[in-house]
Amino acid sequence: MIYGSLYNPRFGRGLSPALANILNTVRQYDLPGLPLGRHEIDGDRVFMNVMELMTEPAESKRAELHQEYLDIQILIGGEERIDFGLPNSWDNSDPYDESKDLQWLDIKRSPQTLNLTPGMYVIFFPLEPHKPGCQIAEPKNIKKVVVKVHYELLL
């Protein structure tokens, strides 16, 4: 997991060239003005999902896990808490859905929390469980971009 801000004056330093290039490409978009839905950057290898949602109590949500794609979660508006766990910190009873690259699970050991404000991003690599869309103090409407990056681009 990597956590940062698009507004950092030293943005991108220390990231792999592939991730730095993808984030620099995303920064060129008018993120607040993007319509909801899917926006392709490089076909199925890199694409963005723009969404609006109401945050909810963390206890009412389940974590997600991916095997093929990294998630770059960028908050555009509002405030959001994202809970996450380390590899093998979860219990899962739901099967992995290969067509959606998604498995629902519950983080059971040593859950961690991040609070995002607009312009902040977090990168979750495959097999890093995360629970986005959680409220910080009370439910809030948020707008965010989730950039999906196929792991092969980092090899």
Side-chain angles (χ1 to χ4, degrees):
M1 183 209 64
I2 298 172
Y3 181 56
S5 171
L6 295 176
Y7 304 127
N8 183 337
R10 295 179 184 255
F11 173 83
R13 289 191 182 174
L15 294 176
S16 73
L19 282 176
N21 287 336
I22 290 166
L23 280 168
N24 277 322
T25 297
V26 169
R27 284 174 41 154
Q28 304 307 309
Y29 287 85
D30 172 20
L31 295 177
L34 278 177
L36 303 180
R38 181 177 165 136
H39 301 267
E40 290 192 9
I41 295 174
D42 185 10
D44 284 337
R45 294 168 17 125
V46 183
F47 58 93
M48 299 185 293
N49 289 317
V50 180
M51 60 192 76
E52 290 181 345
L53 58 106
M54 180 70 73
T55 59
E56 301 174 33
E59 302 77 33
S60 70
K61 301 179 68 63
R62 297 192 72 203
E64 55 189 61
L65 185 80
H66 311 291
Q67 294 184 20
E68 298 291 317
Y69 285 87
L70 289 75
D71 265 10
I72 304 175
Q73 306 229 354
I74 305 168
L75 190 63
I76 299 171
E79 61 181 25
E80 175 186 24
R81 170 181 157 185
I82 298 179
D83 289 356
F84 67 98
L86 301 173
N88 298 317
S89 64
W90 63 84
D91 288 336
N92 60 322
S93 57
D94 292 10
Y96 170 70
D97 184 339
E98 188 174 341
S99 68
K100 295 179 181 176
D101 186 38
L102 179 64
Q103 183 173 15
W104 296 108
L105 50 85
D106 298 302
I107 300 169
K108 294 293 187 181
R109 292 175 294 286
S110 303
Q112 305 294 311
T113 297
L114 298 171
N115 290 339
L116 276 66
T117 56
M120 299 180 89
Y121 67 88
V122 60
I123 302 171
F124 291 105
F125 291 88
L127 301 179
E128 291 184 337
H130 51 285
K131 188 187 326 183
C134 300
Q135 70 188 43
I136 294 175
E138 59 188 36
K140 300 249 178 159
N141 261 333
I142 63 170
K143 185 172 183 181
K144 66 186 299 180
V145 172
V146 178
V147 182
K148 305 292 281 186
V149 179
H150 198 275
Y151 79 92
E152 290 180 345
L153 292 174
L154 300 181
L155 300 178

